[in-house]
Amino acid sequence: MKKLLLAIIATLLVATVLVGCSSRDKDKEDSWDMIEERGTIIVGLDDTFVPMGFKDGSGELTGFDVELAEEAIKSMGLDVQFQSIDWNLKETELNAGNIDLIWNGYTITEARREKVNFTTPYLDNQQVIVVMSDSSVKNKADLKDKAVATQNSSSALEAIESEGAKETFKNGDIVLFDTYNDAFMDLEAGRVDAVVADEILARYYIAQRGEEKYYILDEDFGDEEYGIGVRKEDTTLLEKLNTVLDEMKADGRAAAISDKWFGENIVK
């Protein structure tokens, strides 16, 4: 009787493991058929990231990446739904299936490549250092013992840490904010001495707030590229995105959107 019970338990355990594996395998399947049937691609973004994706004065979502995504996804025969997310949890939201894409000035880094696949890069970027115009900080060496800020879970943070620079900052660390808007507000208030941010965001922000108030150092924390984040298993969606982006570059649609937002075509 004992042997029979042990055999039954063993069988149930094997069945449970198999069901669990089957469920996990299913979760890792290419989701294109499901997306196509749903008719909508869900794009995750930080809705404070000017000028890529942000809310304007009337609360409407706008920006370069928003318009680029709308045009690209329309060309794929689908609707787009934008979902504001906590930027700290962007890869978690993607891989949990809550969103289908991360598309919002999303810098390609090796650490992120471990979690997601990226489309072909479509914009160049730098991590610039911004101070107030009357600041004594004129180069990276001057950041020693200064309060330096950036956005949490940003590529700027990765760039600073990769250089080992934060140990020289005030308290040997970086002041982290949930949004760049908060970081720049503290810069203006004198609570931090410098902000490290994406050049595209920094130059747009400065243009809106008054270029005479700020100074961008000649030195920076490195060159980068923007791409669109896709789940590793979503190879069909990745291929279709790359194809439509190539078409938009070739026929001038991407250039037209870039001209609107930047006054020139900066699309790669």
Side-chain angles (χ1 to χ4, degrees):
M1 185 67 176
K2 184 183 290 185
K3 289 183 179 179
L4 178 60
L5 286 172
L6 289 173
I8 292 171
I9 291 170
T11 301
L12 289 172
L13 286 172
V14 170
T16 300
V17 170
L18 288 173
V19 168
C21 288
S22 175
S23 176
R24 286 193 295 273
D25 290 343
K26 186 175 181 181
D27 289 342
K28 294 296 182 182
E29 290 178 358
D30 187 312
S31 65
W32 174 252
D33 288 343
M34 181 192 72
I35 290 172
E36 194 171 35
E37 182 178 352
R38 186 176 65 204
T40 303
I41 292 179
I42 303 171
V43 174
L45 79 167
D46 167 8
D47 64 13
T48 66
F49 195 81
V50 297
M52 310 307 282
F54 64 101
K55 290 182 179 177
D56 63 18
S58 61
E60 294 296 316
L61 194 62
T62 188
F64 171 78
D65 270 341
V66 168
E67 292 194 12
L68 197 68
E70 287 173 337
E71 181 63 30
I73 292 170
K74 181 180 73 174
S75 298
M76 295 164 66
L78 299 169
D79 295 327
V80 60
Q81 175 185 331
F82 293 100
Q83 177 66 49
S84 298
I85 57 173
D86 182 340
W87 199 243
N88 298 330
L89 301 174
K90 53 193 174 297
E91 291 89 7
T92 301
E93 294 278 12
L94 179 69
N95 289 313
N98 298 327
I99 58 175
D100 301 310
L101 300 172
I102 303 172
W103 193 338
N104 189 211
Y106 188 38
T107 299
I108 300 170
T109 69
E110 290 308 310
R112 289 170 176 176
R113 282 187 188 277
E114 295 178 5
K115 302 174 184 177
V116 307
N117 276 341
F118 282 95
T119 59
T120 303
Y122 64 96
L123 279 184
D124 289 325
N125 184 50
Q126 289 180 316
Q127 288 300 333
V128 297
I129 304 163
V130 184
V131 298
M132 301 306 292
S133 59
D134 59 354
S135 172
S136 62
V137 175
K138 301 301 179 185
N139 53 52
K140 289 170 79 171
D142 291 340
L143 294 175
K144 186 176 186 298
D145 297 324
K146 296 295 192 295
V148 181
T150 194
Q151 186 181 32
N152 197 13
S153 298
S154 66
S155 57
L157 176 59
E158 290 185 34
I160 295 167
E161 290 179 333
S162 70
E163 287 195 19
K166 75 173 185 177
E167 286 76 12
T168 69
F169 298 162
K170 184 177 181 180
N171 300 323
D173 210 346
I174 307 164
V175 183
L176 297 177
F177 292 89
D178 288 336
T179 71
Y180 276 117
N181 187 58
D182 291 339
F184 275 100
M185 286 177 64
D186 266 35
L187 177 66
E188 292 168 11
R191 289 188 287 270
V192 299
D193 301 298
V195 172
V196 181
D198 296 58
E199 181 179 24
I200 287 174
L201 174 143
R203 291 197 181 280
Y204 185 88
Y205 187 94
I206 289 170
Q208 300 297 309
R209 306 279 291 203
E211 294 185 8
E212 72 284 352
K213 294 168 56 178
Y214 307 90
Y215 174 67
I216 297 179
L217 273 58
D218 292 334
E219 295 180 279
D220 57 56
F221 278 99
D223 299 329
E224 301 176 337
E225 295 175 311
Y226 285 162
I228 304 160
V230 184
R231 281 184 290 271
K232 293 234 178 227
E233 59 271 18
D234 279 346
T235 55
T236 303
L237 178 56
L238 180 64
E239 181 181 348
K240 289 181 179 294
L241 272 174
N242 278 327
T243 297
V244 76
L245 287 173
D246 285 343
E247 291 171 352
M248 289 173 63
K249 293 173 191 176
D251 64 22
R253 283 178 292 162
I257 297 171
S258 181
D259 285 340
K260 173 182 174 179
W261 284 98
F262 306 115
E264 60 181 319
N265 181 20
I266 64 171
V267 178
K268 290 170 68 73

